[in-house]
Amino acid sequence: MKVMKFGGTSVGSVESILKVKAIVEAVEEPVVVVVSALGGVTDQLLRAAKLAVQGNAAYDKEFNSLKQRHYMMVQEVLPDAYRQTAVLKTIDQLLEELQNILRGVFLIRDLSQKTSDVIVSYGERLSSLIVARMLEGSRAIDVRQFIKTEKQFNKHIVDFKLTNRLIGELGAIEGVTVVPGFIAADKKTDEITNLGRGGSDYTASIFAAALHADRLEIWTDVDGFMTADPKVISSAYVIEELSYVEAMELSNFGAKVLYPPTIFPAFHSNIPILIKNTFNPQATGTYISRTKRTPHTSAIQGISSIDDTSLITLQGLGMVGVIGINYRIFKALSAAGISVFMVSQASSENTTSFAVKNADADLSVEVLNKEFQIEINQGEINTIVAEKELATVAVVGENMKRTPGIAGKLFGTLGRSGISVIACAQGASETNISFVIQKEYLRKALNSIHDSFFLSEYQVLNLFIIGIGTVGSRLLEQISRQQKTLMEQFRLKLTVVGVANSKKLLLTRDGLNPETCIQELKERGVASSPNLLSEEILKMNIFNSVFVDCTASAEIAGLYGKLLSRNVSVVSANKIAASSDYDNYLHLKEIARVTGGKYLFETNVGAGLPIINTMNALINSGDKILKLQAVLSGTLNFIFNTISQDICFSRAIRMAKEAGFSEPDPRIDLSGVDVIRKLVILSREAGYAINQDDVVKQLFIPEQYFEGSIDNFWKTIPELDAEFETRRRQLESEGKKYRFVAEMDNGRCSVGLRAVDRTHPFYELEGSNNIIMITTERYNEYPMIIKGYGAGASVTAAGVFSDIISIANIR
């Protein structure tokens, strides 16, 4: 024999109630069916009562709407005219009673709790009548004759001894018995009471325990308990098994799958509970029992939250060592009917904090200020205040008590996400770690925790890609091609949640298709600016977020500090920030260190070559970099490799631009500014405090060619062709080549054109390649050499991509 409870959504429409019929009729054993009111009816009854007590005649409109809905339901689910007539006669009697009660409330403008309880009881009384008639051969019972309550602290508490005896008098259950949920009666007066919102679950559990059922099934509109709220975390999935304790913890902290008191009667009688979905009956559901059938390996089972939290704090030196303070706190709150769902106390006893719902916050403060008025007046306790609009998160799992380091990992995850914990609590059972945070960080906290504890199928990085020109567009192409491999092999999911160019911005928490997002930006993007961009990104407050700068904009580089301070990692192909004033460079690095975020800029030097990472590895392992010699401009190397008897200097410059090696304005490359920036970055990463003004510049183009417009540059630069051809022939006769070399020697930096012979490692450097020689204490006689493509959109994009992947720390 089993008990099956069907919620409001399960009996809320013709389609769903017929599903209930099919589910129940497929059961081959005796069954008790507990039903809620039709979906939304309890709220409709409360609205009608509220309108009536306000003297608003619109209550009658609510009543008529409710009446027509029940009529329609009868006509649709009971095709037999005889049965329709019989059930409608009883429904009309109930509705007439309800209408008279509402009319009385309207006339006298008074709505007591007793009258409100009677009004809301009609929802279940009506729905159970329809379901009983729909299920042929079933019997309906008046639950008021069986579940009895007594009043304690203004709440109706079940008298289990009396209730169990009355239900037991039903004897052996045969066939189908239909019971209205939620409703009860006072054991002394027989007046209608109820078990609270969600009380139909409780009704089913009470009957299951009293009748010694084999199983309790709760049929609802979800597949079971989820690892987290799926509305917040799309990757949340169904938990197939829970212990009673885990289910209770998750329910108490906001998981709306099960009314928390439901668990106690089932636990006490060791009756397993199965959560099932009326709309997806094939789903496995969640099985709740004392002992799990399959051992669970994860330390935590699920994450639950309450976004309706206020924190009340009592603080004062006068509390230290005083016996009875907490007794007085909770006695006063209990007398006022205030429920506390989390308590946190400092071991010094000078602070006690507890969480209540926002609606109870002001009353809590009022009650406690009155209780401790003498201590407050004497300065022993500070004035009691409530911090409102907070959220409480609970991480639940019985395996936590056997796993060291869970709390450390939890709070470390929150810290890296920039989320401050206001208060926390953990019982000695170690099945629940609860903490209070600012409400605005709730979504980010849930996602971070879910991802960190591998409840998510994938580790997720949320990318904001700024600049969708040559490098940015190639990066999107590479992400698109590699996404599937990263997900399959490394369980890493890269989600592009934002793209922007200099004019438009497009952000979406759900993610964009890398293949189509550039077109979507054109079609759906909104007007943007650097400030608006940073504001909107921070407003999203999304976890594991990475700001990817593929621009050359100083304004965009200026956003890094603000983003890093809010735990948004930065991956930059933009050299401006890392080569800016040395103090700013240090500031950005320090912010990243403090927040635990990442500031990565490998592509600032050498495009996709692993130069900075290699240098960092050397230094972190105890080596010291003494000297750097490098050809760092793929553009300039291309130009000097391209100049020949047939290709003049100005033509080589134009070819570099057409090939995408140079900046849109090649004067940036020709001026040596780009190389100076790269040398400054490398010197800093090598451990030297260098600014751009410290670099000795030996340039090869007169200053006048950098003045005026770009058009004027293209007109005048051919004037140098003859001079460079003469110099080229001279070098050729000597067996040498020009290389624009950057050098750092024990903190002294210079850039300039150098003639190198065939014995030099730079001589055979082809095309737009870069090369760097790193002399260290270890690599002294034979410097380390890194060489390869140093320019081009694809290799730069690949370097940016590599930095993004490194944030996920996969190998």
Side-chain angles (χ1 to χ4, degrees):
M1 176 262 171
K2 66 180 177 181
V3 176
M4 306 173 74
K5 177 264 175 179
F6 293 91
T9 53
S10 297
V11 294
S13 67
V14 173
E15 179 186 7
S16 62
I17 205 169
L18 290 176
K19 288 182 183 293
V20 170
K21 183 175 186 290
I23 290 167
V24 174
E25 290 179 347
V27 177
E28 297 179 353
E29 60 185 308
V31 60
V32 173
V33 175
V34 178
V35 293
S36 298
L38 305 188
V41 163
T42 302
D43 287 333
Q44 196 170 7
L45 287 166
L46 290 170
R47 281 199 304 272
K50 184 178 180 180
L51 289 168
V53 77
Q54 292 172 346
N56 189 334
Y59 82 89
D60 202 42
K61 184 178 180 182
E62 289 283 357
F63 170 80
N64 286 321
S65 169
L66 182 146
K67 177 180 178 179
Q68 291 304 314
R69 182 177 178 191
H70 285 83
Y71 277 8
M72 182 274 294
M73 186 68 79
V74 170
Q75 292 162 2
E76 292 292 335
V77 303
L78 300 175
D80 181 84
Y82 175 76
R83 281 196 291 164
Q84 279 189 21
T85 302
V87 76
L88 285 174
K89 181 179 178 181
T90 309
I91 284 176
D92 281 337
Q93 292 173 353
L94 291 173
L95 288 172
E96 184 178 359
E97 292 174 12
L98 174 61
Q99 188 173 32
N100 288 337
I101 294 170
L102 289 170
R103 177 69 177 166
V105 171
F106 175 75
L107 291 174
I108 66 174
R109 304 291 195 275
D110 181 70
L111 179 64
S112 65
Q113 186 60 52
K114 173 181 170 182
T115 304
S116 179
D117 288 347
V118 173
I119 289 171
V120 294
S121 74
Y122 282 93
E124 276 73 13
R125 292 164 70 185
L126 290 165
S127 65
S128 61
L129 183 62
I130 296 171
V131 171
R133 291 288 184 172
M134 177 184 70
L135 298 171
E136 294 187 36
S138 68
R139 65 165 174 165
I141 64 171
D142 184 352
V143 73
R144 295 173 294 177
Q145 304 302 316
F146 300 94
I147 297 183
K148 299 297 182 177
T149 63
E150 56 185 341
K151 203 165 188 178
Q152 294 181 13
F153 302 111
N154 294 319
K155 291 187 178 181
H156 301 295
I157 307 300
V158 175
D159 182 333
F160 277 100
K161 184 176 180 180
L162 176 58
T163 295
N164 288 341
R165 178 174 64 80
L166 293 171
I167 295 174
E169 291 174 359
L170 281 170
I173 301 295
E174 296 180 359
V176 179
T177 300
V178 178
V179 179
F182 177 63
I183 309 167
D186 186 275
K187 73 174 187 178
K188 294 180 179 178
T189 64
D190 273 341
E191 293 171 347
I192 291 176
T193 60
N194 64 62
L195 305 178
R197 293 302 293 266
S200 293
D201 289 353
Y202 197 15
T203 301
S205 184
I206 291 167
F207 268 82
L211 295 170
H212 306 290
D214 297 317
R215 186 161 73 183
L216 168 61
E217 293 180 359
I218 305 293
W219 290 79
T220 181
D221 56 359
V222 295
D223 287 343
F225 276 89
M226 308 288 285
T227 51
D229 185 348
K231 294 177 182 176
V232 177
I233 301 175
S234 59
S235 59
Y237 55 86
V238 174
I239 306 169
E240 293 190 359
E241 288 193 64
L242 287 171
S243 68
Y244 291 120
V245 173
E246 289 169 336
M248 175 66 81
E249 296 284 6
L250 288 170
S251 298
N252 273 327
F253 280 89
K256 297 180 175 62
V257 180
L258 196 63
Y259 183 48
T262 304
I263 298 170
F264 174 73
F267 166 77
H268 189 68
S269 299
N270 199 23
I271 297 170
I273 304 171
L274 181 62
I275 310 296
K276 294 283 285 182
N277 189 344
T278 304
F279 305 94
N280 183 24
Q282 293 78 27
T284 304
T286 299
Y287 185 84
I288 304 168
S289 62
R290 185 163 291 167
T291 305
K292 297 177 189 176
R293 298 170 296 182
T294 306
H296 191 73
T297 56
S298 176
I300 69 171
Q301 282 278 48
I303 309 164
S304 195
S305 62
I306 300 172
D307 63 0
D308 176 19
T309 299
S310 285
L311 196 67
I312 316 297
T313 298
L314 276 77
Q315 186 175 29
L317 295 178
M319 296 169 61
V320 178
V322 178
I323 297 173
I325 290 289
N326 285 344
Y327 168 76
R328 291 172 61 189
I329 292 172
F330 297 113
K331 181 182 177 182
L333 293 172
S334 177
I338 297 168
S339 177
V340 173
F341 54 82
M342 195 194 93
V343 180
S344 177
Q345 183 176 27
S347 59
S348 64
E349 299 183 318
N350 77 327
T351 303
T352 297
S353 298
F354 57 88
V356 299
K357 291 186 176 181
N358 285 314
D360 292 331
D362 291 339
L363 180 57
S364 299
V365 171
E366 181 183 337
V367 165
L368 293 175
N369 276 327
K370 183 177 180 181
E371 174 68 27
F372 293 97
Q373 184 175 0
I374 294 174
E375 289 87 348
I376 292 171
N377 290 341
Q378 292 176 347
E380 295 176 357
I381 293 179
N382 300 335
T383 302
I384 301 163
V385 294
E387 190 173 357
K388 300 181 180 179
E389 297 304 315
L390 306 174
T392 305
V393 179
V395 175
V396 174
E398 286 198 302
N399 282 357
M400 290 198 296
K401 59 189 172 187
R402 291 183 288 272
T403 307
I406 291 296
K409 183 176 180 181
L410 170 64
F411 295 119
T413 296
L414 295 170
R416 286 190 297 274
S417 296
I419 299 168
S420 177
V421 173
I422 300 170
C424 64
Q426 180 180 21
S429 66
E430 295 186 78
T431 56
N432 179 336
I433 301 175
S434 308
F435 56 91
V436 178
I437 58 174
Q438 293 291 338
K439 185 177 178 179
E440 64 182 295
Y441 292 115
L442 177 58
R443 177 185 288 269
K444 188 175 184 181
L446 293 176
N447 276 282
S448 299
I449 298 166
H450 200 271
D451 190 62
S452 176
F453 281 88
F454 300 102
L455 285 172
S456 297
E457 185 178 0
Y458 303 104
Q459 181 183 0
V460 178
L461 290 182
N462 294 297
L463 311 180
F464 299 94
I465 298 179
I466 316 303
I468 51 171
T470 53
V471 174
S473 61
R474 297 291 172 81
L475 175 61
L476 287 166
E477 291 172 6
Q478 292 173 12
I479 290 172
S480 179
R481 287 197 303 270
Q482 195 67 6
Q483 265 183 329
K484 185 178 180 181
T485 300
L486 290 171
M487 290 171 71
E488 290 177 352
Q489 295 185 10
F490 301 104
R491 317 310 295 169
L492 174 64
K493 184 178 181 181
L494 300 180
T495 303
V496 179
V497 293
V499 289
N501 56 23
S502 59
K503 297 179 180 178
K504 287 188 172 184
L505 164 68
L506 178 62
L507 303 177
T508 172
R509 190 178 291 275
D510 295 330
L512 296 163
N513 184 339
E515 295 181 2
T516 60
C517 62
I518 293 178
Q519 184 61 35
E520 289 183 70
L521 177 65
K522 293 177 183 177
E523 296 171 355
R524 300 193 291 119
V526 298
S528 181
S529 67
N531 284 336
L532 178 64
L533 174 65
S534 65
E535 288 173 8
E536 291 300 316
I537 289 173
L538 295 177
K539 192 184 297 181
M540 284 180 74
N541 204 18
I542 199 165
F543 82 114
N544 284 1
S545 51
V546 184
F547 182 84
V548 184
D549 182 6
C550 297
T551 74
S553 166
E555 287 183 293
I556 296 298
L559 303 177
Y560 296 174
K562 186 177 182 181
L563 294 168
L564 286 166
S565 67
R566 294 285 295 273
N567 294 82
V568 178
S569 291
V570 173
V571 170
S572 178
N574 183 346
K575 307 175 191 67
I576 292 175
S579 63
S580 63
D581 183 78
Y582 183 72
D583 289 340
N584 184 60
Y585 161 83
L586 279 185
H587 178 62
L588 295 177
K589 299 275 280 191
E590 179 63 12
I591 294 175
R593 187 191 67 78
V594 170
T595 62
K598 301 291 184 182
Y599 173 37
L600 304 176
F601 42 88
E602 179 67 77
T603 55
N604 282 191
V605 181
L609 294 177
I611 298 173
I612 292 176
N613 283 337
T614 301
M615 289 172 56
N616 288 337
L618 291 170
I619 293 170
N620 293 339
S621 65
D623 205 350
K624 178 177 175 60
I625 296 175
L626 305 174
K627 186 175 183 179
L628 300 172
Q629 292 173 288
V631 175
L632 298 173
S633 172
T635 304
L636 295 180
N637 201 52
F638 175 86
I639 290 170
F640 290 115
N641 278 334
T642 302
I643 295 174
S644 66
Q645 185 176 348
D646 301 318
I647 300 176
C648 63
F649 179 58
S650 60
R651 176 59 186 152
I653 297 172
R654 193 174 290 275
M655 288 172 67
K657 181 178 181 301
E658 291 169 352
F661 294 135
S662 79
E663 299 289 342
D665 184 346
R667 291 179 295 180
I668 295 174
D669 298 289
L670 294 168
S671 67
V673 169
D674 189 57
V675 175
I676 291 168
R677 287 175 178 168
K678 291 177 180 179
L679 179 60
V680 165
I681 293 168
L682 289 179
S683 299
R684 290 173 175 178
E685 291 296 290
Y688 298 91
I690 300 295
N691 276 311
Q692 291 188 40
D693 291 342
D694 299 325
V695 180
V696 177
K697 308 169 188 68
Q698 299 167 354
L699 304 182
F700 57 92
I701 294 181
E703 189 66 32
Q704 65 199 59
Y705 290 93
F706 299 104
E707 299 170 355
S709 67
I710 183 66
D711 290 335
N712 186 61
F713 168 77
W714 288 118
K715 288 178 183 177
T716 58
I717 195 64
E719 297 171 357
L720 298 179
D721 288 347
E723 177 188 344
F724 270 93
E725 175 58 18
T726 301
R727 294 163 70 176
R728 184 197 67 78
R729 288 179 180 177
Q730 178 65 31
L731 285 175
E732 188 175 52
S733 67
E734 297 173 359
K736 295 181 180 179
K737 291 183 179 179
Y738 269 144
R739 296 288 181 251
F740 193 78
V741 177
E743 184 172 324
M744 187 281 295
D745 190 349
N746 284 299
R748 297 183 299 276
C749 298
S750 64
V751 297
L753 204 57
R754 305 280 190 272
V756 297
D757 61 26
R758 296 180 188 275
T759 63
H760 199 285
F762 294 175
Y763 183 85
E764 296 293 348
L765 195 62
E766 298 177 353
S768 62
N769 286 1
N770 281 188
I771 188 170
I772 181 169
M773 293 198 306
I774 307 172
T775 303
T776 74
E777 290 179 345
R778 293 176 189 158
Y779 293 86
N780 199 306
E781 186 176 355
Y782 299 100
M784 179 183 290
I785 296 177
I786 301 172
K787 176 181 176 182
Y789 285 119
S794 293
V795 291
T796 302
V800 171
F801 199 177
S802 178
D803 272 352
I804 293 170
I805 297 299
S806 71
I807 291 176
N809 197 29
I810 63 174
R811 294 288 185 268

